[in-house]
Amino acid sequence: MRTPLIYQMTCYDCGPTTLVNALRFLYEREELDPELLATIYARTLDDFNEAGEAGKLGTSHQAIRHVARYLNMYGSGTGFPVAAEIWSGEDALIAPGSKAFRALEEYGAGGGGRDDRGAAAASPSVAIVARIWHGENGHYTLLTGVEDGRVLAFDPYLEDAGEGLANGTVDGDRVRLVAGRPLVANRSIDPVAFHSDVKANYALKNAVNADPTDPRIGELVVIRRTDRGVSLPTA
């Protein structure tokens, strides 16, 4: 049975919530071992604020990378059909024809992927964890597919209804609200939104708009099922 994607419980747990959502998106409930959930929460919420309060700067990208490596080892050791890759620099470009865009288009929702609008769609095989800006804060969100040239995403941060178009991340143009698709997405995003050299909603964190040590274009964690013959784009 498929279960709906979930929202974060605090202002800080977008990292583990997005990783869990990737598993919810790709697997049936009966397929998942509780060890996966326990390990994700044990290895995230590692960053601390200036007062030394653990978790109150969310999850570092090093921790997300660590979980990606864990998923590979878990899959290799147990035979569970999961693998993860870290794409950075040019590989993280999200634009029509790019490596990441094609992976979502071919193996996510909206194309050949699982959708909750009808029973005809096949199950998805790829989900992407993106490290982005959300207002003035770093954030993680899940990219789940491509539809009508736009990227489908599930943002785990539930905005107050009163924030509206003026103050929230949904502007009705680059970022649109998706309603009634709890297994797939709550956002539809124009690909141009992911690439900006200034802090902007849904822009990938990169060496210009974040820290000079960050990748030039950004970084993505691509999680895939290994039991469906997925051949990810190589360029």
Side-chain angles (χ1 to χ4, degrees), residues 3 5-6 9 16 22-23 25 27-28 60 73 98 104 115 131 134 141 144 154 161 165 183 210 213 215 221:
T3 54
L5 306 184
I6 59 174
M9 293 184 292
L23 298 180
F25 177 67
Y27 301 93
E28 306 292 325
S60 69
M73 296 301 293
S98 72
L104 291 169
D115 201 340
R131 181 169 167 255
H134 196 276
T141 197
T144 59
F154 192 91
L165 295 180
L183 302 181
T213 62
V221 176

Side-chain angles (χ1 to χ4, degrees), residues 106-215:
E106 294 172 21
Y107 300 113
R114 180 177 67 200
D115 201 340
D116 53 356
R117 297 190 304 174
S123 296
S125 302
V126 168
I128 295 179
V129 176
R131 181 169 167 255
I132 62 169
W133 285 109
H134 196 276
E136 292 293 314
N137 301 304
H139 189 50
Y140 294 98
T141 197
L142 186 69
L143 311 183
T144 59
V146 170
E147 190 171 86
D148 299 327
R150 299 172 65 89
V151 175
L152 294 173
F154 192 91
D155 189 329
Y157 186 79
L158 183 62
E159 296 181 353
D160 294 334
E163 288 180 304
L165 295 180
N167 301 312
T169 59
V170 177
D171 60 16
D173 181 18
R174 286 194 174 189
V175 182
R176 298 174 185 167
L177 183 68
V178 173
R181 301 177 70 180
L183 302 181
V184 173
N186 60 10
R187 299 286 186 272
S188 170
I189 304 171
D190 187 327
V192 300
F194 292 107
H195 302 291
S196 173
D197 286 340
V198 298
K199 292 181 183 180
N201 287 325
Y202 296 101
L204 296 177
K205 295 186 75 173
N206 61 46
V208 179
N209 65 27
D211 191 283
T213 62
D214 282 324

